Amino acid sequence: MVFRMQSPAALAAIYRSMGRKVTPQRQLLFQLMHENDCHPTAEALFAEASAQMPGISLRTVYQTLNELAEMGELQFIDIGGGPTRFDPNLDDHHHVVCIDCGQIRDVQVSGAAALHPSGAEDFVINEVGVVFQGVCSSCEKSRAKSGRSVRAKSPALQAKVSK
Amino acid sequence: MVFRMQSPAALAAIYRSMGRKVTPQRQLLFQLMHENDCHPTAEALFAEASAQMPGISLRTVYQTLNELAEMGELQFIDIGGGPTRFDPNLDDHHHVVCIDCGQIRDVQVSGAAALHPSGAEDFVINEVGVVFQGVCSSCEKSRAKSGRSVRAKSPALQAKVSK
DNA sequence: TTCTTGTTAGCACGAATTGCAGATTAGGAG
DNA sequence: CTCCTAATCTGCAATTCGTGCTAACAAGAA
Ligand SMILES: [Mn+2]
Ligand SMILES: [Mn+2]
Ligand SMILES: [Zn+2]
Ligand SMILES: [Zn+2]
């Protein structure tokens, strides 16, 4: 059972049934997000959209993405401080990020749902997110070439205080 | 073995040994971060620092935090799009976030290190981060009072495309 | 076609963070 | 202690990402 954002046609129907209008801008963005699996930023979508519809506004891209998120048709992903990325994959899944090129890939993590935090017994937990940081094969090659290996986590002094 | 940012005195020594100067501003920030376990933002630290040292600049707070991070003395935490938060806890640990008040708490997650992503076999994984979203006990009370329960994940249409 | 109402485009604005440069100072040499 | 200089600090401009606002615009019903 794989859950994704609805098809453009289905979304059009949903929009109409909610009294919202099905504009060309929205339809285009429905297409661009549907089946999109690269977790694009608003700017990236804006660039793609502009190619097919010169004059479309970045504001409209943000608005539509926010709408879809409110409707539960896509998710926001915030990783590492960069711009928000959008995900039409509504399944229970997680992400790997390449610390070199920034690409984000979907991954399944068996056992993630079973994770439990120690030290937050007074919280009602709602959901869990797992993010792996690493280097993709393509970037790994570039690294090999330029000699630099996967960087140590703490390049600084090693003497740590044990407490 | 608990790893944390060094003590203010130790940091002073490290700074001098690196040819960096031990200024009053830095010393104050060392103190404020050391043993700080609330994952403060730069602005929050700036406020605390300003109380003890009126005139200190926000720019200096950012600079010092960036330095310490480069030296591996603290970590950046980016969660949910808000401002970056800083963490002097260098241990292998994870976080719970209260979606109401934004507080971030350290947690241990047994089994986190054993997690493996399916679908990223071509990545060299460097590290894993687990973030739990939930509601803290304090906010839970407020919710009970105002009647609102823990919100459903997708308030929108239920009919999803199975693929 | 006309009317109503939701939508779009564009720009101003806001939050978070960094770039810059002149004024200031820590810390070592004399 | 005084002087010197490189490192640092401060204040402000600039940048990046995203939102508020509103007049012009257009979907869709009548
Ligand atoms: Mn995803
Ligand atoms: Mn922490
Ligand atoms: Zn890469
Ligand atoms: Zn709370």
Side-chain angles (χ1 to χ4, degrees), chain A residues 153-161, chain B residues 3-7 10-11 14-15 18 30 33-34 64-76 86-90:
Chain A
K153 201 172 164 189
S154 298
L157 290 245
Q158 293 299 5
K160 292 296 179 188
V161 171
Chain B
F3 289 121
R4 298 206 124 249
M5 188 179 95
Q6 305 272 1
S7 71
L11 285 173
I14 296 174
Y15 263 64
M18 296 178 73
F30 294 168
M33 277 307 283
H34 183 65
T64 304
L65 290 170
N66 280 325
E67 269 166 28
L68 289 169
E70 271 175 53
M71 296 168 57
E73 294 296 338
L74 53 76
Q75 293 180 267
F76 287 1
F86 301 89
D87 195 347
N89 181 348
L90 303 174

Side-chain angles (χ1 to χ4, degrees), chain B residues 98 100-101 103 136 139:
Chain B
C98 175
D100 269 23
C101 65
Q103 102 174 249
C136 74
C139 290

Side-chain angles (χ1 to χ4, degrees), chain A residues 6 71 126-127 133 156 159, chain B residues 6 71 108 126-127 133 156 159:
Chain A
Q6 306 272 2
M71 295 166 58
N126 219 12
E127 57 181 286
Q133 307 245 81
Chain B
Q6 305 272 1
M71 296 168 57
Q108 297 301 317
N126 220 11
E127 57 179 285
Q133 308 244 79

Side-chain angles (χ1 to χ4, degrees), chain A residues 79-80 94-99 107 109 129-136 143 150-155, chain B residues 69 72 74-78 87 89-95 111-117 120 123-131:
Chain A
I79 286 173
H94 301 276
H95 298 99
V96 211
V97 189
C98 175
I99 56 185
V107 291
V109 182
V130 181
V131 176
F132 297 87
Q133 307 245 81
V135 182
C136 74
R143 287 195 173 220
V150 177
R151 68 150 177 261
K153 201 172 164 189
S154 298
Chain B
L74 53 76
Q75 293 180 267
F76 287 1
I77 300 181
D78 285 292
D87 195 347
N89 181 348
L90 303 174
D91 241 339
D92 185 29
H93 71 288
H94 302 276
H95 298 99
L115 291 177
H116 283 292
F123 274 70
V124 177
I125 303 299
N126 220 11
E127 57 179 285
V128 193
V130 181
V131 176

